């Protein structure tokens, strides 16, 4: 095994040092909740009777006797989301397999699951980020009955996986495992989908043309196949040892997917008690968080994880900062080209060797912590293997150590780029994140006049009127967590790509989200402090020169301090505009939410907003 890369070791040590007090408090709290034997054995007779009143057959006896492990099923199933529709069958498979393994599984609760694809550009998107913390609370409700000794978490997409993890970490004394559903088969090639979207933005394709293209892309049960937050979730949690090895990208509706789901049930029974007891609090530690982050950076994954990983780490008493992202990104090579960072989809990545080749090459390069706890046992080496059915029996086998398609996936000795896909920028406009894995080097620095918008509709109108046919830095403000719940702004990208194709220097600066779908557009996103909290974005006026330089880590408004001091900050839309489509129900969360660099969370975090280093210093150190 290779020696651990010094940057990986240094960053992990700094995370551990700054988190020492909060991590210790978390582990003490978890230890206090742990007990001997099945948890439900400590319930009063009336309490326990309520817990098995709806059971029947052998499950009733097992729950009543309180001698064998009880497993909670917490699911984000609904049949609106293609990625979650396959989860409908999982509970019965799990219950049967857990019963055979000497335990009992009960469906403990469902959690909400929004589809960001449906809500893009709509008012519902303003609830999307808040749904993560609602999911965490719903997970807490499901586990609060003190009936369970382990947890299977069924969820795939965007805010859902982080929410399930945050909620289950409050019950960190319980073992927990995520159970994926797998991606849909490949549909319309991503280049063609992007081409039709740009033609529609220019008025050169009809709505029917666009709908046909979208329907050919998103066409069956399973996760959408581009490398957005959903598939980034799946890769990251496998790298963290929270999936069974190789479970992530197996298609739904296949015998292998069912076998993996049933094995997850058997495995959670095994690790819920006795010598193999493996609580979630032991699996998720500083090393695990760094391993997940390295996997994200090596594949150019979703920038949403600059929020989600920070929030998940905080739930485990760990303080993760954007400086950690920046320093690791400078040391971790880019090894994957998956749309929007390339033309391939996640099925092509999986066929080229997928997570197993990625884990193997990163371990061999010393870029991952090998000696970690996982739901499959101790050591990340287990995740070099892929699952197969041999005469109907599930087993794991070694995979080739080299990629089968180096246009999609490479090894660390032959990277696509020497650095990962995320960088941090800062300056007098605040701090932000930029995903550069799909941005060509000649487009990573833009200096141009600003055009400021308060809504996506204002931007679209200006684009269609030809007002943006020039070098321009598009500023979309009042879209941060407190202003609008930090919606994603994917609808801007086709038009911005059109402007770039016309030869203009174009960039986007926003306190909203983009998830990494910015593609070839240089976009400083998650800018904090947000404009609604008095951030400098509120001072920008049309025509001001903005410099965004991803290479130098700079985000600056080139206006003298005296002029800025004389300006009145632009105000956010009035509060009475934030209602309809359920938004008023989330007003309390909107008032409580923290800044982007602390995870945009409504829960208390132990972190400080003060950066350890500037982006340039972090890159130099790495």
């Amino acid at each position: 095994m290779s020696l651990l890369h010094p940057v990986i070791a240094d960053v992990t040590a700094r995370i551990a040092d700054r988190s020492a007090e909060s991590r210790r408090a978390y582990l003490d709290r978890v230890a206090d909740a742990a007990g001997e034997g099945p948890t439900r054995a400590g319930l009063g007779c009336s309490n326990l009777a309520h817990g098995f009143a709806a059971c029947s057959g052998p499950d009733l006896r097992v729950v009543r006797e309180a001698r064998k492990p009880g497993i909670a099923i917490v699911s984000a199933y609904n049949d609106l989301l293609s990625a979650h529709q396959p989860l409908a069958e999982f509970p019965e498979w799990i219950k049967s397999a857990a019963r055979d393994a000497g335990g009992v599984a009960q469906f403990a609760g469902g959690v909400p699951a929004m589809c960001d694809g449906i809500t893009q550009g709509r008012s519902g998107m303003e609830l999307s980020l808040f749904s993560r913390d609602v999911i965490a609370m719903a997970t807490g409700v499901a586990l609060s009955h003190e009936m369970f000794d382990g947890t299977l978490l069924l969820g795939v997409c965007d805010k859902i996986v982080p929410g399930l993890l945050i909620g289950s970490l409050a019950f960190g004394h319980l073992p927990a495992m995520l159970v994926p559903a797998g991606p849909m088969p490949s549909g319309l090639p991503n280049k063609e989908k992007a081409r039709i979207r740009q033609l529609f933005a220019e008025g050169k394709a009809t709505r029917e043309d666009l709908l046909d293209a979208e329907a050919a892309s998103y066409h069956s049960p399973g996760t959408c196949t581009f490398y957005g937050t959903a598939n980034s979730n799946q890769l990251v949690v496998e790298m963290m040892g929270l999936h069974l090895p190789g479970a992530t990208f197996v298609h739904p509706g296949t015998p292998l997917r069912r076998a993996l789901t049933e094995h997850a049930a058997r495995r959670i029974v095994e690790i819920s008690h006795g010598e193999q007891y493996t609580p979630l609090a032991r699996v998720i530690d500083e090393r695990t968080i760094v391993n997940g982050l390295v996997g994200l950076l090596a594949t150019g994954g979703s920038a949403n994880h600059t929020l989600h990983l920070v929030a998940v780490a905080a739930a485990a008493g760990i303080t993760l900062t954007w400086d950690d992202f920046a320093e690791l990104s400078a040391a971790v090579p880019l090894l994957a080209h998956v749309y929007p960072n390339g033309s391939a989809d996640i099925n092509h990545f999986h066929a080229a060797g997928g997570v197993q080749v990625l884990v193997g090459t990163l371990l061999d390069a010393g870029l991952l912590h090998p000696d970690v706890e996982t739901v499959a046992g101790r050591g990340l080496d287990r995740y070099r293997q892929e699952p197969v059915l041999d005469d109907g029996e599930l087993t794991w086998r070694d995979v080739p150590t080299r990629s089968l398609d180096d246009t999609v996936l490479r090894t660390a000795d032959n990277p696509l780029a020497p650095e990962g896909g995320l960088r941090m920028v800062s300056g007098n406009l605040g701090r932000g994140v930029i995903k550069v894995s799909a941005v060509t080097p000649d487009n990573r620095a833009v200096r141009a006049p600003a055009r400021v918008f308060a809504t996506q509709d204002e931007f679209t109108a200006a684009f269609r009127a030809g007002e943006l046919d020039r070098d321009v830095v598009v500023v979309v403000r009042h879209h941060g967590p407190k202003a609008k719940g930090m919606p994603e702004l994917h609808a801007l990208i086709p038009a911005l790509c059109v402007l770039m194709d016309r030869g203009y220097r174009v960039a986007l600066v926003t306190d909203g989200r983009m998830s990494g779908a910015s593609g070839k557009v240089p976009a400083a996103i998650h800018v904090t402090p947000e404009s609604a909290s008095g951030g400098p974005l509120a001072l920008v006026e049309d025509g001001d020169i903005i410099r965004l330089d991803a290479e130098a880590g700079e985000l600056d408004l080139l206006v003298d301090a005296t002029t800025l001091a004389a300006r009145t900050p632009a105000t956010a839309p009035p509060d009475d505009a934030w209602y309809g489509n359920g938004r008023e129900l989330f007003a309390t969360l909107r008032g409580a939410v923290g800044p982007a660099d602390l995870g945009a969370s409504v829960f208390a975090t132990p972190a400080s907003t003060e950066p350890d280093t500037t982006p340039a210093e972090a890159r130099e150190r790495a």
Side-chain angles (χ1 to χ4, degrees), residues 126-127 130 454-455 478-487 573 578 590:
E126 296 175 17
L127 308 184
F130 291 142
T455 70
H478 299 312
H479 281 67
K482 286 187 178 297
K484 279 194 173 182
M486 211 176 187
W578 210 67
R590 181 181 168 212

Side-chain angles (χ1 to χ4, degrees), residues 11 58 82 119 121 123 146 174 205 227 243 265 310 329 333 420 469 478 482 506 511 523 591 614:
V11 171
S82 63
T119 58
S123 59
E146 299 181 84
L174 300 179
Y227 195 40
H243 279 172
V310 171
S329 188
D469 285 315
H478 299 312
K482 286 187 178 297
V506 175
D511 48 12
T614 67

